[in-house]
Each structure stands twice: as structure tokens, then as C-alpha cells.
Amino acid sequence: MERAFEPLDIVKFSNIREQQKRLQEIPRDDIKKIVDAIIDRGVHLIESDVNHVFFYKNPYYIPKHADAKEKLAAKSISEQIGSSFESSTDESDEEDEEAATFQEEWITIGNFDFVTAIHQLTAFVEKWDMTPATKFVVIAQEFAEEVKPFGHRYFAEIHFSKPTPKCPNPLAIAKLNFHINVCSYLPPFYPIMITYKFEGFKTMYYAVGERKLSSNKFQRYLIDSILHMKLAFYAELWECRNPLKPLEKRYVLIKQKA
């Protein structure tokens, strides 16, 4: 209302009118070409991401904002009725549920922080059903590789081993390579995408989205097989480097019998 009584800015008004005329003078065919080019560009980007590590569906329930509005409306109605105590208990229950399910939801693209992502990655691996005495350590350095034109990729390694009191630093170590992908085109409320590969295997596994495996048990079989193969290799290598030791033992046994 106050602007209606203000003096008219003739220069500003004339500039707006000129811009409107220019927009009206643009042919529809040219606008259609621009829109088609934008659509083709988007389709090309999505199709070029073969492994779906930068373009993917939101794995979480998208209309969270609508649910929040409904909760706020229900809360205001309950306050008007006078049941403030019940609404406070409901809020505490919701906070407990969010705290319990926080580790299951990865950090979003808009709130991405490398240290937080590594902490969530560690919590994700801790849920795996590993064999007894299996230990792991996370090795990560905040270095981003630019993957044009999709976004950035961070790297992390996890080393698994089975140390014992006699051998606290075992030779056999199973390595897992993790990729933390942050897309530059997806909305900021989308979660980051994390994939991982086991050492010696080509299959890529997903920690987020539709391709994520719900089982937490298959990882131990791959890790144990890697450790077993490495221990077998080291045993054969020891026998090759020390071929006379078994022969000396046999010679001593034969001499004692004689």
C-alpha cells in the first residue's frame, strides 16, 4: 500500500516495458529450441551416468515438508484444545525416533561435511555381522576429485584384519575401497551416494538407494575369503623360500629310526 502512494519511477518503468517487449519479440520456435536443448542436456547427463552414482532417485520419503506441515497443524489444534501435555510427549517420542534412525540416513548434499560422512561410514560398517576377532580401521583423507560434469568424488579405505596376542600386526589385510560421490545437479535435500568394492573383486556395492543390499552378513564371507587367500599365499611363499626345512625334519626322523 505504501508503494502505491510513492512517485512513479519513469526510468525504471520504461526499462521494464522494454524488457517485456524484447521477450514478446522472441519467436516461440526459438524458445522451444532452448527448452529442448536443456531437456536433451539433462537426458544426456543421466544416461551417461551408467552406474547411477551421481544421478539416482531419492531413497527417502520425499514429501517430508508436507508431513511437517501436517504435524504442525495437528499440534496447533491440540494446543487450542488444551492438550499441551500430550503434544509435548508426542514431540519427545518423535525426537527419540529421529535420534534412533539418524544413523540410517546419510548426510545430504546441501549439508555435506567430509568428517561427518566418514563417521557415518564407520557406523555403517559397524553394523556388519563380522566373524569374531575381526577388527578394522578407516583410512581417509579429505581430497576431492572433480568428475566432470557430474560433481566431486571423495575416497576412503577400510582395512580388515584378525590380530591375535601372538601376532598383533597380522600380515593378511583385506581392503575395501569406498567412493563418496557428491552430485552438483541434484537437489540439496538428496543424500550423498556411497559405493564400495572389495579387494580383488569387480562388483560394486551400494550403501544408499535402491541397489543397496539389506543383508549385513554377506560382507564377512568376502572379507574372510580375502584374508584366507592371503594367508594361503604367504604360507606357500614361506615354503618356497625355505625348501630345506621340511627335508631336514624328515632326515632327522629317518636317522633316529635307523
Side-chain angles (χ1 to χ4, degrees), residues 179-200:
H179 287 176
I180 303 172
N181 303 299
V182 183
C183 184
S184 301
Y185 294 94
L186 292 179
F189 58 85
Y190 265 56
I192 59 175
M193 174 56 67
I194 295 183
T195 59
Y196 57 97
K197 286 185 178 180
F198 293 87
E199 180 183 4

PDB file of all heavy atoms in Angstrom, residues 179-200:
ATOM      1  N   HIS A 179      33.827 -45.012  -2.302  1.00  0.00           N
ATOM      2  CA  HIS A 179      33.705 -43.775  -3.055  1.00  0.00           C
ATOM      3  C   HIS A 179      32.529 -42.977  -2.498  1.00  0.00           C
ATOM      4  O   HIS A 179      31.409 -43.494  -2.388  1.00  0.00           O
ATOM      5  CB  HIS A 179      33.476 -44.051  -4.536  1.00  0.00           C
ATOM      6  CG  HIS A 179      34.692 -44.548  -5.241  1.00  0.00           C
ATOM      7  ND1 HIS A 179      34.690 -44.932  -6.572  1.00  0.00           N
ATOM      8  CD2 HIS A 179      35.975 -44.718  -4.810  1.00  0.00           C
ATOM      9  CE1 HIS A 179      35.907 -45.320  -6.926  1.00  0.00           C
ATOM     10  NE2 HIS A 179      36.700 -45.198  -5.870  1.00  0.00           N
ATOM     11  N   ILE A 180      32.777 -41.735  -2.148  1.00  0.00           N
ATOM     12  CA  ILE A 180      31.737 -40.830  -1.655  1.00  0.00           C
ATOM     13  C   ILE A 180      31.466 -39.817  -2.763  1.00  0.00           C
ATOM     14  O   ILE A 180      32.296 -38.948  -3.039  1.00  0.00           O
ATOM     15  CB  ILE A 180      32.181 -40.126  -0.356  1.00  0.00           C
ATOM     16  CG1 ILE A 180      32.555 -41.167   0.707  1.00  0.00           C
ATOM     17  CG2 ILE A 180      31.089 -39.205   0.158  1.00  0.00           C
ATOM     18  CD1 ILE A 180      33.187 -40.560   1.951  1.00  0.00           C
ATOM     19  N   ASN A 181      30.326 -39.933  -3.419  1.00  0.00           N
ATOM     20  CA  ASN A 181      30.001 -39.114  -4.581  1.00  0.00           C
ATOM     21  C   ASN A 181      29.022 -38.013  -4.198  1.00  0.00           C
ATOM     22  O   ASN A 181      27.979 -38.277  -3.584  1.00  0.00           O
ATOM     23  CB  ASN A 181      29.396 -39.987  -5.690  1.00  0.00           C
ATOM     24  CG  ASN A 181      30.331 -41.125  -6.081  1.00  0.00           C
ATOM     25  OD1 ASN A 181      31.442 -40.905  -6.523  1.00  0.00           O
ATOM     26  ND2 ASN A 181      29.860 -42.350  -5.916  1.00  0.00           N
ATOM     27  N   VAL A 182      29.358 -36.777  -4.580  1.00  0.00           N
ATOM     28  CA  VAL A 182      28.527 -35.607  -4.300  1.00  0.00           C
ATOM     29  C   VAL A 182      28.179 -34.963  -5.642  1.00  0.00           C
ATOM     30  O   VAL A 182      29.058 -34.412  -6.314  1.00  0.00           O
ATOM     31  CB  VAL A 182      29.253 -34.601  -3.388  1.00  0.00           C
ATOM     32  CG1 VAL A 182      28.335 -33.432  -3.063  1.00  0.00           C
ATOM     33  CG2 VAL A 182      29.733 -35.276  -2.116  1.00  0.00           C
ATOM     34  N   CYS A 183      26.911 -35.047  -6.025  1.00  0.00           N
ATOM     35  CA  CYS A 183      26.463 -34.540  -7.323  1.00  0.00           C
ATOM     36  C   CYS A 183      26.251 -33.032  -7.255  1.00  0.00           C
ATOM     37  O   CYS A 183      25.815 -32.484  -6.243  1.00  0.00           O
ATOM     38  CB  CYS A 183      25.178 -35.240  -7.747  1.00  0.00           C
ATOM     39  SG  CYS A 183      24.597 -34.749  -9.400  1.00  0.00           S
ATOM     40  N   SER A 184      26.535 -32.361  -8.369  1.00  0.00           N
ATOM     41  CA  SER A 184      26.357 -30.909  -8.453  1.00  0.00           C
ATOM     42  C   SER A 184      25.006 -30.511  -9.014  1.00  0.00           C
ATOM     43  O   SER A 184      24.692 -29.311  -9.033  1.00  0.00           O
ATOM     44  CB  SER A 184      27.462 -30.303  -9.329  1.00  0.00           C
ATOM     45  OG  SER A 184      28.740 -30.592  -8.813  1.00  0.00           O
ATOM     46  N   TYR A 185      24.193 -31.480  -9.462  1.00  0.00           N
ATOM     47  CA  TYR A 185      22.921 -31.164 -10.109  1.00  0.00           C
ATOM     48  C   TYR A 185      21.703 -31.551  -9.276  1.00  0.00           C
ATOM     49  O   TYR A 185      20.633 -30.986  -9.455  1.00  0.00           O
ATOM     50  CB  TYR A 185      22.831 -31.873 -11.475  1.00  0.00           C
ATOM     51  CG  TYR A 185      23.832 -31.375 -12.486  1.00  0.00           C
ATOM     52  CD1 TYR A 185      25.058 -32.003 -12.651  1.00  0.00           C
ATOM     53  CD2 TYR A 185      23.551 -30.274 -13.274  1.00  0.00           C
ATOM     54  CE1 TYR A 185      25.974 -31.552 -13.579  1.00  0.00           C
ATOM     55  CE2 TYR A 185      24.465 -29.804 -14.214  1.00  0.00           C
ATOM     56  CZ  TYR A 185      25.680 -30.450 -14.360  1.00  0.00           C
ATOM     57  OH  TYR A 185      26.593 -29.986 -15.272  1.00  0.00           O
ATOM     58  N   LEU A 186      21.844 -32.523  -8.398  1.00  0.00           N
ATOM     59  CA  LEU A 186      20.700 -32.983  -7.617  1.00  0.00           C
ATOM     60  C   LEU A 186      20.305 -31.941  -6.568  1.00  0.00           C
ATOM     61  O   LEU A 186      21.128 -31.119  -6.165  1.00  0.00           O
ATOM     62  CB  LEU A 186      21.027 -34.316  -6.938  1.00  0.00           C
ATOM     63  CG  LEU A 186      21.195 -35.530  -7.854  1.00  0.00           C
ATOM     64  CD1 LEU A 186      21.545 -36.754  -7.034  1.00  0.00           C
ATOM     65  CD2 LEU A 186      19.940 -35.777  -8.675  1.00  0.00           C
ATOM     66  N   PRO A 187      19.056 -31.976  -6.105  1.00  0.00           N
ATOM     67  CA  PRO A 187      18.620 -31.032  -5.058  1.00  0.00           C
ATOM     68  C   PRO A 187      19.432 -31.212  -3.780  1.00  0.00           C
ATOM     69  O   PRO A 187      19.952 -32.287  -3.506  1.00  0.00           O
ATOM     70  CB  PRO A 187      17.145 -31.407  -4.837  1.00  0.00           C
ATOM     71  CG  PRO A 187      16.735 -32.083  -6.101  1.00  0.00           C
ATOM     72  CD  PRO A 187      17.943 -32.805  -6.606  1.00  0.00           C
ATOM     73  N   PRO A 188      19.539 -30.166  -2.966  1.00  0.00           N
ATOM     74  CA  PRO A 188      20.375 -30.245  -1.755  1.00  0.00           C
ATOM     75  C   PRO A 188      19.838 -31.197  -0.695  1.00  0.00           C
ATOM     76  O   PRO A 188      20.597 -31.611   0.184  1.00  0.00           O
ATOM     77  CB  PRO A 188      20.388 -28.795  -1.239  1.00  0.00           C
ATOM     78  CG  PRO A 188      19.169 -28.158  -1.824  1.00  0.00           C
ATOM     79  CD  PRO A 188      18.962 -28.820  -3.154  1.00  0.00           C
ATOM     80  N   PHE A 189      18.534 -31.568  -0.758  1.00  0.00           N
ATOM     81  CA  PHE A 189      17.998 -32.481   0.253  1.00  0.00           C
ATOM     82  C   PHE A 189      18.226 -33.944  -0.113  1.00  0.00           C
ATOM     83  O   PHE A 189      17.857 -34.835   0.654  1.00  0.00           O
ATOM     84  CB  PHE A 189      16.495 -32.225   0.474  1.00  0.00           C
ATOM     85  CG  PHE A 189      15.651 -32.363  -0.761  1.00  0.00           C
ATOM     86  CD1 PHE A 189      15.175 -33.598  -1.170  1.00  0.00           C
ATOM     87  CD2 PHE A 189      15.323 -31.254  -1.517  1.00  0.00           C
ATOM     88  CE1 PHE A 189      14.405 -33.736  -2.309  1.00  0.00           C
ATOM     89  CE2 PHE A 189      14.540 -31.371  -2.664  1.00  0.00           C
ATOM     90  CZ  PHE A 189      14.076 -32.615  -3.055  1.00  0.00           C
ATOM     91  N   TYR A 190      18.832 -34.220  -1.261  1.00  0.00           N
ATOM     92  CA  TYR A 190      19.177 -35.591  -1.624  1.00  0.00           C
ATOM     93  C   TYR A 190      20.373 -36.058  -0.797  1.00  0.00           C
ATOM     94  O   TYR A 190      21.285 -35.273  -0.525  1.00  0.00           O
ATOM     95  CB  TYR A 190      19.525 -35.675  -3.109  1.00  0.00           C
ATOM     96  CG  TYR A 190      18.380 -36.071  -4.003  1.00  0.00           C
ATOM     97  CD1 TYR A 190      17.201 -35.348  -4.009  1.00  0.00           C
ATOM     98  CD2 TYR A 190      18.482 -37.161  -4.859  1.00  0.00           C
ATOM     99  CE1 TYR A 190      16.146 -35.690  -4.837  1.00  0.00           C
ATOM    100  CE2 TYR A 190      17.440 -37.519  -5.683  1.00  0.00           C
ATOM    101  CZ  TYR A 190      16.279 -36.782  -5.673  1.00  0.00           C
ATOM    102  OH  TYR A 190      15.239 -37.129  -6.489  1.00  0.00           O
ATOM    103  N   PRO A 191      20.426 -37.340  -0.430  1.00  0.00           N
ATOM    104  CA  PRO A 191      21.610 -37.846   0.287  1.00  0.00           C
ATOM    105  C   PRO A 191      22.771 -38.072  -0.669  1.00  0.00           C
ATOM    106  O   PRO A 191      22.587 -38.194  -1.881  1.00  0.00           O
ATOM    107  CB  PRO A 191      21.115 -39.164   0.876  1.00  0.00           C
ATOM    108  CG  PRO A 191      20.076 -39.625  -0.096  1.00  0.00           C
ATOM    109  CD  PRO A 191      19.392 -38.377  -0.597  1.00  0.00           C
ATOM    110  N   ILE A 192      23.955 -38.119  -0.126  1.00  0.00           N
ATOM    111  CA  ILE A 192      25.129 -38.444  -0.928  1.00  0.00           C
ATOM    112  C   ILE A 192      25.069 -39.917  -1.319  1.00  0.00           C
ATOM    113  O   ILE A 192      24.365 -40.711  -0.709  1.00  0.00           O
ATOM    114  CB  ILE A 192      26.423 -38.140  -0.160  1.00  0.00           C
ATOM    115  CG1 ILE A 192      26.464 -38.948   1.152  1.00  0.00           C
ATOM    116  CG2 ILE A 192      26.557 -36.657   0.115  1.00  0.00           C
ATOM    117  CD1 ILE A 192      27.764 -38.804   1.925  1.00  0.00           C
ATOM    118  N   MET A 193      25.814 -40.275  -2.350  1.00  0.00           N
ATOM    119  CA  MET A 193      25.866 -41.665  -2.800  1.00  0.00           C
ATOM    120  C   MET A 193      27.216 -42.268  -2.419  1.00  0.00           C
ATOM    121  O   MET A 193      28.271 -41.672  -2.688  1.00  0.00           O
ATOM    122  CB  MET A 193      25.666 -41.745  -4.309  1.00  0.00           C
ATOM    123  CG  MET A 193      25.857 -43.137  -4.888  1.00  0.00           C
ATOM    124  SD  MET A 193      24.795 -44.404  -4.141  1.00  0.00           S
ATOM    125  CE  MET A 193      23.187 -43.872  -4.697  1.00  0.00           C
ATOM    126  N   ILE A 194      27.172 -43.439  -1.796  1.00  0.00           N
ATOM    127  CA  ILE A 194      28.382 -44.130  -1.364  1.00  0.00           C
ATOM    128  C   ILE A 194      28.392 -45.535  -1.956  1.00  0.00           C
ATOM    129  O   ILE A 194      27.407 -46.271  -1.840  1.00  0.00           O
ATOM    130  CB  ILE A 194      28.469 -44.200   0.171  1.00  0.00           C
ATOM    131  CG1 ILE A 194      28.623 -42.799   0.747  1.00  0.00           C
ATOM    132  CG2 ILE A 194      29.625 -45.081   0.624  1.00  0.00           C
ATOM    133  CD1 ILE A 194      28.787 -42.750   2.238  1.00  0.00           C
ATOM    134  N   THR A 195      29.474 -45.881  -2.600  1.00  0.00           N
ATOM    135  CA  THR A 195      29.663 -47.219  -3.167  1.00  0.00           C
ATOM    136  C   THR A 195      30.983 -47.791  -2.644  1.00  0.00           C
ATOM    137  O   THR A 195      31.865 -47.037  -2.202  1.00  0.00           O
ATOM    138  CB  THR A 195      29.692 -47.168  -4.700  1.00  0.00           C
ATOM    139  OG1 THR A 195      30.764 -46.305  -5.132  1.00  0.00           O
ATOM    140  CG2 THR A 195      28.376 -46.623  -5.248  1.00  0.00           C
ATOM    141  N   TYR A 196      31.098 -49.116  -2.711  1.00  0.00           N
ATOM    142  CA  TYR A 196      32.335 -49.744  -2.224  1.00  0.00           C
ATOM    143  C   TYR A 196      32.611 -51.023  -2.990  1.00  0.00           C
ATOM    144  O   TYR A 196      31.699 -51.679  -3.509  1.00  0.00           O
ATOM    145  CB  TYR A 196      32.264 -50.008  -0.717  1.00  0.00           C
ATOM    146  CG  TYR A 196      31.115 -50.867  -0.256  1.00  0.00           C
ATOM    147  CD1 TYR A 196      31.270 -52.232  -0.034  1.00  0.00           C
ATOM    148  CD2 TYR A 196      29.856 -50.315  -0.028  1.00  0.00           C
ATOM    149  CE1 TYR A 196      30.214 -53.016   0.401  1.00  0.00           C
ATOM    150  CE2 TYR A 196      28.792 -51.085   0.403  1.00  0.00           C
ATOM    151  CZ  TYR A 196      28.978 -52.436   0.620  1.00  0.00           C
ATOM    152  OH  TYR A 196      27.931 -53.229   1.044  1.00  0.00           O
ATOM    153  N   LYS A 197      33.896 -51.367  -3.065  1.00  0.00           N
ATOM    154  CA  LYS A 197      34.358 -52.584  -3.723  1.00  0.00           C
ATOM    155  C   LYS A 197      35.316 -53.318  -2.793  1.00  0.00           C
ATOM    156  O   LYS A 197      36.123 -52.690  -2.094  1.00  0.00           O
ATOM    157  CB  LYS A 197      35.074 -52.268  -5.038  1.00  0.00           C
ATOM    158  CG  LYS A 197      34.164 -51.855  -6.181  1.00  0.00           C
ATOM    159  CD  LYS A 197      34.955 -51.673  -7.464  1.00  0.00           C
ATOM    160  CE  LYS A 197      34.066 -51.311  -8.630  1.00  0.00           C
ATOM    161  NZ  LYS A 197      34.851 -51.143  -9.889  1.00  0.00           N
ATOM    162  N   PHE A 198      35.222 -54.646  -2.827  1.00  0.00           N
ATOM    163  CA  PHE A 198      36.145 -55.476  -2.064  1.00  0.00           C
ATOM    164  C   PHE A 198      37.412 -55.712  -2.874  1.00  0.00           C
ATOM    165  O   PHE A 198      37.366 -55.826  -4.107  1.00  0.00           O
ATOM    166  CB  PHE A 198      35.495 -56.809  -1.701  1.00  0.00           C
ATOM    167  CG  PHE A 198      34.359 -56.679  -0.728  1.00  0.00           C
ATOM    168  CD1 PHE A 198      33.070 -56.432  -1.169  1.00  0.00           C
ATOM    169  CD2 PHE A 198      34.578 -56.800   0.635  1.00  0.00           C
ATOM    170  CE1 PHE A 198      32.026 -56.312  -0.281  1.00  0.00           C
ATOM    171  CE2 PHE A 198      33.534 -56.682   1.537  1.00  0.00           C
ATOM    172  CZ  PHE A 198      32.252 -56.431   1.077  1.00  0.00           C
ATOM    173  N   GLU A 199      38.513 -55.821  -2.181  1.00  0.00           N
ATOM    174  CA  GLU A 199      39.799 -56.044  -2.833  1.00  0.00           C
ATOM    175  C   GLU A 199      39.784 -57.358  -3.610  1.00  0.00           C
ATOM    176  O   GLU A 199      39.413 -58.405  -3.091  1.00  0.00           O
ATOM    177  CB  GLU A 199      40.903 -56.080  -1.767  1.00  0.00           C
ATOM    178  CG  GLU A 199      42.292 -56.294  -2.314  1.00  0.00           C
ATOM    179  CD  GLU A 199      43.325 -56.404  -1.216  1.00  0.00           C
ATOM    180  OE1 GLU A 199      42.942 -56.393  -0.023  1.00  0.00           O
ATOM    181  OE2 GLU A 199      44.532 -56.508  -1.541  1.00  0.00           O
ATOM    182  N   GLY A 200      40.158 -57.275  -4.897  1.00  0.00           N
ATOM    183  CA  GLY A 200      40.197 -58.457  -5.745  1.00  0.00           C
ATOM    184  C   GLY A 200      38.882 -58.783  -6.423  1.00  0.00           C
ATOM    185  O   GLY A 200      38.817 -59.745  -7.191  1.00  0.00           O
TER     186      GLY A 200
END
